[in-house]
């Protein structure tokens, strides 16, 4: 009977130590902090995923709008090109006597300065003089 008690005590001690370690890990402050950080990490991942989806939607919608604009401008150009021949002919353009307005004398001159400007004053301002020296 003495050996049976010892066996039960060893089994109970092993079971108690195992149960104590498990409960200590579950209810310890480190465990709570770890679980809180784990939840915050999952929330941050979810927010990042949502933000990425929003950005993808934004850029795909922007690309669609730009594509529509390009198509509209292409249609406008084709319309102008097709109808320009119907509205005015080359003979009408020649009869207007339009001359170029830029002449050789109208070109801007670049060398209008004779020397580089000074970045300092030619005379002393007197700011660093003592009040006795200013008089």
């Amino acid at each position: 009977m003495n050996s049976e008690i010892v066996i039960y005590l060893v089994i109970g001690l092993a079971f108690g130590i195992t149960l104590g370690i498990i409960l200590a890990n579950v209810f310890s402050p480190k465990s709570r902090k770890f679980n809180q950080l784990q939840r915050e990490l999952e929330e941050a991942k979810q927010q990042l995923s949502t933000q990425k989806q929003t950005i993808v939607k934004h850029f795909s919608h922007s690309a669609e709008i730009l594509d529509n604009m390009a198509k509209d401008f292409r249609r406008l150009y084709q319309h102008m090109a097709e109808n320009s021949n119907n509205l005015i002919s080359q003979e009408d353009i020649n009869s207007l006597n339009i001359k170029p307005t830029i002449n050789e004398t109208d070109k801007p001159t670049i060398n209008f300065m004779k020397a580089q400007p000074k970045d300092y004053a030619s005379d002393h301002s007197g700011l660093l003089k003592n009040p006795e020296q200013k008089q």
Side-chain angles (χ1 to χ4, degrees):
M1 187 133 140
N2 198 8
S3 65
E4 288 180 9
I5 294 175
V6 172
I7 292 173
Y8 287 132
L9 284 176
V10 170
I11 292 173
L13 184 63
F15 181 73
I17 290 174
T18 306
L19 185 63
I21 290 173
I22 291 172
L23 290 176
N25 284 335
V26 169
F27 294 112
S28 72
K30 287 182 181 179
S31 174
R32 287 186 211 138
K33 188 173 183 179
F34 176 76
N35 289 335
Q36 179 186 6
L37 289 175
Q38 190 71 24
R39 282 191 303 266
E40 289 177 6
L41 177 64
E42 292 300 322
E43 289 174 5
K45 284 182 179 179
Q46 182 63 31
Q47 288 176 352
L48 180 63
S49 174
T50 304
Q51 187 178 17
K52 283 182 180 180
Q53 290 174 355
T54 304
I55 290 172
V56 167
K57 286 180 185 177
H58 166 75
F59 281 114
S60 65
H61 185 66
S62 297
E64 182 181 331
I65 290 172
L66 286 173
D67 187 44
N68 290 341
M69 283 177 53
K71 289 177 183 175
D72 289 342
F73 280 122
R74 192 175 303 117
R75 283 190 8 227
L76 175 66
Y77 176 77
Q78 289 172 350
H79 170 74
M80 296 296 284
E82 290 171 357
N83 291 324
S84 65
N85 292 333
N86 296 338
L87 297 176
I88 190 166
S89 66
Q90 188 64 32
E91 295 171 1
D92 294 334
I93 293 173
N94 292 337
S95 67
L96 292 175
N97 293 328
I98 298 175
K99 295 179 183 177
T101 57
I102 298 176
N103 297 330
E104 290 295 323
T105 58
D106 291 342
K107 288 185 179 178
T109 57
I110 297 173
N111 298 328
F112 61 91
M113 295 178 56
K114 301 292 182 203
Q116 183 175 0
K118 296 179 182 178
D119 57 349
Y120 57 89
S122 59
D123 294 334
H124 298 289
S125 64
L127 288 174
L128 300 177
K129 291 183 180 179
N130 293 334
E132 301 149 0
Q133 293 176 344
K134 286 185 180 179
Q135 294 175 0

